[in-house]
Amino acid sequence: MKSHPGSLKAQGGTALVVALIFLTALALLGTSGAMNNAVQERMAGNTRNRDLAFEAAEHALRDAEASLPALLDPNGDGNTADQTGTLANGEDHANDAAYWSDPTNWPSGSSLHSAGGAALQGVASQPVYVVERMPGYTDTTVTPNIPYEFYRITARGVGGTSDSIVILQSMYRLKMG
């Protein structure tokens, strides 16, 4: 077996340079994978917060629809003129995301209702709703004519952080007479 003492000198550290290039490439791949994982975790957290806010707003909307008959007729005598806790000016303001996203447009006092039942866990604040009286309508296509009252319910739910807010609305029609 012959040895070639000059062959080791001919390599001149090429293997070391190639190994360092591979290690650098692997480090870049690992770093980008870790950054991608962090972004995905934040996205999942944001989605969870939005889902919590949506569930809270849905809870408030269901609670409002269930308690609306008692709210509109607190004495139980069929007279909706004695209602309290509703706003009479539902048609007098904008009804868009910009309006409802501004906290100063939400009323205070007896017009702002908290959703009933047990407190929701994991939310930054408990859901609330507002009931607004809208213009009425009388159906003249039937005899006798049937008057209807309309109410808009706007519910606001907050997720795990105060940055995640969902607003839902529904219309409620009440047949008079």
Side-chain angles (χ1 to χ4, degrees):
M1 190 158 135
K2 291 184 177 180
S3 67
H4 300 282
S7 64
L8 289 177
K9 288 184 179 181
Q11 287 184 5
T14 305
L16 179 61
V17 171
V18 170
L20 285 175
I21 290 173
F22 278 132
L23 282 175
T24 303
L26 287 174
L28 288 174
L29 284 172
T31 302
S32 68
M35 289 175 62
N36 186 26
N37 188 33
V39 168
Q40 296 230 355
E41 281 185 34
R42 273 188 259 137
M43 288 176 17
N46 290 341
T47 300
R48 182 178 183 279
N49 278 336
R50 189 201 169 280
D51 288 347
L52 278 172
F54 187 81
E55 289 173 10
E58 264 189 331
H59 173 71
L61 198 59
R62 282 191 311 269
D63 182 68
E65 290 171 347
S67 61
L68 197 58
L71 180 70
L72 297 179
D73 185 13
N75 297 331
D77 58 6
N79 182 8
T80 60
D82 55 5
Q83 60 188 261
T84 57
T86 62
L87 299 174
N89 62 344
E91 72 279 3
D92 292 344
H93 61 78
N95 186 34
D96 56 13
Y99 178 83
W100 290 110
S101 295
D102 184 356
T104 60
N105 291 328
W106 284 82
S108 59
S110 65
S111 298
L112 183 67
H113 305 279
S114 297
L120 298 180
Q121 301 299 315
V123 296
S125 64
Q126 295 301 309
V128 293
Y129 64 89
V130 174
V131 178
E132 299 172 288
R133 188 179 192 134
M134 302 301 287
Y137 167 76
T138 300
D139 186 357
T140 58
T141 62
V142 295
T143 303
N145 295 345
I146 302 173
Y148 292 98
E149 289 181 0
F150 290 92
Y151 296 89
R152 179 172 56 210
I153 304 167
T154 305
R156 180 178 187 265
V158 180
T161 65
S162 60
D163 294 332
S164 55
I165 297 172
V166 171
I167 297 171
L168 298 176
Q169 285 186 332
S170 72
M171 291 295 286
Y172 186 86
R173 182 179 75 172
L174 180 63
K175 181 179 174 184
M176 305 302 296

